[in-house]
Amino acid sequence: MLEEIKKLRSKIDADLQAISSAEEAEAFRLKHLVRKGTIATLFERMREVANEEKRLVGKELNQLRAFAQSGFDEAQIKTEQKSKEPIQDPTLPPRKLYHGHEHPIMQAKARIQEIFIRMGFTVATGPDIEDDYHNFEALNFSPDHPARDMQDTFFVKHGDRDDLVLRTHTSPVQIRLMKSQKPPIRAIMPGRVYRNEAITARALAEFYQVEGLYVDKGVTMAQLKGTLFEFARAYYGKDIKFRFRPSFFPFTEPSAEMDITCFLCDGKGCRVCKYSGWLEILGCGMVHPNVLRNCDIDPEVYSGYAFGMGIERTQMLAIGLDDIRLFYENDVRFLSQF
Ligand code: PHE
């Protein structure tokens, strides 16, 4: 019997050394310390022990049980502490932090603003919900102009007013500026505009424009061209060439559209420029005398130029993107590239 106690003791000792987790400690307890465990089994065999040895064997067994119990208690404390400690490997690379950033359209807007601010323009804004007067009438749109049509304009009902619209362009801000300030006026007007159009790869129903306006004595078309060329060189790159094509807007006369050479193919012709070598980037012109008059500015004394561009479109061309909808799908795989 004493021999068996000795054997079990060295077995228990080895088992205790091997404990390295809470699960292993529990397995130890179930093997040795419970009512059907190894120690209890030996206690039950006390009956077989000769009377004169009972004292000695009982003492040895009690010592063995105390040894196993205290070893187990110690192991339990150790493994618990271990599981509370975070895994600390100072050589691991840090976890990658994902920073948010500005939306590519807001980045483009900031860049456009910065270029014009450098040239002496201020930044003005106006309301998204406009009235027919500021959005159309004061801008010299005739009463039957197709842009007022249900096809293009979102009308807004509010109380008994039936003349409210979601602005279809940023040009009404021109009117608000010219009515509230005396020339010289030199401002750009960024903002969101709305058109009742089917959403396609090239058109959205909501998008951003930047308008520009300069009114003073002796403002000329040559100044308009110079300013826009400077802008285009700063935005698209120094090597571009430009051309003006005659166009029509009710609020400018003469009116033009500005093209730049396609910087993706250097004017040779590619998918983005539809093999023409040219990209249309904005509309512009000299402020129509009727518009100046509507704002109590004498067209005999003052003249002005205006221009307007879509930010999404400007940005599409700058990066050679062929689907405008990507800007608003909130796909991080797309957005994180900016
Ligand atoms: N408002 C015009 C548009 O939305 C752009 C424009 C602005 C054209 C100013 C000429 C002058 O298409």
Side-chain angles (χ1 to χ4, degrees):
M1 190 70 178
L2 287 173
E3 196 52 39
E4 282 189 53
I5 294 172
K6 222 172 134 189
K7 259 204 223 152
L8 184 57
R9 190 186 170 98
S10 57
K11 172 83 183 112
I12 284 175
D13 201 15
D15 283 357
L16 282 173
Q17 302 297 327
I19 294 176
S20 65
S21 69
E23 292 79 42
E24 282 167 8
E26 178 62 7
F28 175 89
R29 190 182 70 86
L30 293 172
K31 184 174 170 192
H32 299 296
L33 291 171
V34 292
R35 228 159 24 102
K36 292 250 158 62
T38 53
I39 296 171
T41 308
L42 279 188
F43 264 107
E44 268 175 26
R45 287 174 53 197
M46 279 292 279
R47 271 178 266 122
E48 305 164 12
V49 176
N51 274 345
E52 59 272 23
E53 281 189 12
K54 268 197 165 74
R55 239 178 71 106
L56 182 61
V57 173
K59 200 175 138 205
E60 288 290 324
L61 269 178
N62 278 328
Q63 272 177 3
L64 176 63
R65 186 165 59 186
F67 168 72
Q69 185 66 50
S70 69
F72 166 76
D73 290 346
E74 232 173 79
Q76 213 181 17
I77 290 168
K78 261 195 214 148
T79 54
E80 261 176 26
Q81 274 177 353
K82 223 179 175 179
S83 68
K84 273 184 209 142
E85 269 172 37
I87 301 163
Q88 276 176 341
D89 178 352
T91 65
L92 282 176
R95 257 185 219 156
K96 202 169 170 188
L97 290 176
Y98 289 94
H99 291 278
H101 63 68
E102 272 197 315
H103 190 276
I105 295 305
M106 291 300 108
Q107 290 179 24
K109 179 176 156 224
R111 258 190 80 207
I112 296 168
Q113 278 182 197
E114 193 213 293
I115 293 168
F116 282 109
I117 287 169
R118 245 188 287 150
M119 291 195 266
F121 285 76
T122 57
V123 179
T125 55
D128 286 23
I129 299 176
E130 270 293 2
D131 49 28
D132 181 90
Y133 176 78
H134 288 91
N135 198 77
F136 294 124
E137 193 182 327
L139 285 161
N140 201 37
F141 281 79
S142 60
D144 54 358
H145 192 281
R148 297 176 186 227
D149 197 278
M150 299 292 281
Q151 297 296 311
D152 289 305
T153 308
F154 287 115
F155 295 90
V156 178
K157 265 214 158 334
H158 181 67
D160 52 5
R161 289 192 64 170
D162 58 2
D163 65 331
L164 298 179
V165 300
L166 292 180
R167 65 178 176 193
T168 58
H169 52 177
T170 40
S171 303
V173 190
Q174 285 185 32
I175 302 298
R176 293 184 178 275
L177 266 188
M178 287 190 280
K179 280 187 180 274
S180 63
Q181 290 176 25
K182 292 260 153 294
I185 297 169
R186 185 161 44 197
I188 54 163
M189 295 147 266
R192 208 188 267 251
V193 302
Y194 307 83
R195 285 183 197 173
N196 193 359
E197 279 190 67
I199 293 165
T200 67
R202 303 188 67 81
L204 295 166
E206 257 181 65
F207 54 99
Y208 281 84
Q209 282 191 337
V210 178
E211 188 98 358
L213 175 73
Y214 178 34
V215 182
D216 201 352
K217 287 178 184 154
V219 175
T220 67
M221 187 109 184
Q223 291 171 348
L224 170 65
K225 278 176 134 176
T227 304
L228 291 179
F229 185 44
E230 266 320 295
F231 161 74
R233 272 161 44 104
Y235 196 87
Y236 292 102
K238 282 206 172 355
D239 299 330
I240 54 139
K241 297 189 186 71
F242 74 102
R243 72 180 183 191
F244 275 55
R245 273 179 298 106
S247 184
F248 175 80
F249 301 101
F251 37 90
T252 46
E253 181 59 36
S255 303
E257 267 162 44
M258 181 178 177
D259 297 343
I260 58 170
T261 41
C262 180
F263 45 82
L264 293 167
C265 63
D266 265 332
K268 289 187 198 79
C270 69
R271 202 172 40 83
V272 174
C273 63
K274 294 198 211 124
Y275 304 97
S276 70
W278 293 98
L279 299 169
E280 179 198 319
I281 59 164
L282 53 78
C284 60
M286 301 305 291
V287 180
H288 198 289
N290 287 351
V291 175
L292 293 174
R293 248 177 248 123
N294 288 339
C295 300
D296 295 320
I297 294 173
D298 185 351
E300 300 299 327
V301 181
Y302 292 100
S303 59
Y305 65 66
F307 56 87
M309 67 190 102
I311 301 184
E312 284 81 355
R313 198 179 144 66
T314 304
Q315 187 63 354
M316 268 175 96
L317 297 179
I319 62 178
L321 185 70
D322 54 14
D323 193 332
I324 200 169
R325 292 170 291 196
L326 278 167
F327 284 127
Y328 295 108
E329 276 169 5
N330 277 342
D331 186 333
V332 274
R333 288 170 305 177
F334 173 75
L335 295 176
S336 62
Q337 295 176 51
F338 298 93

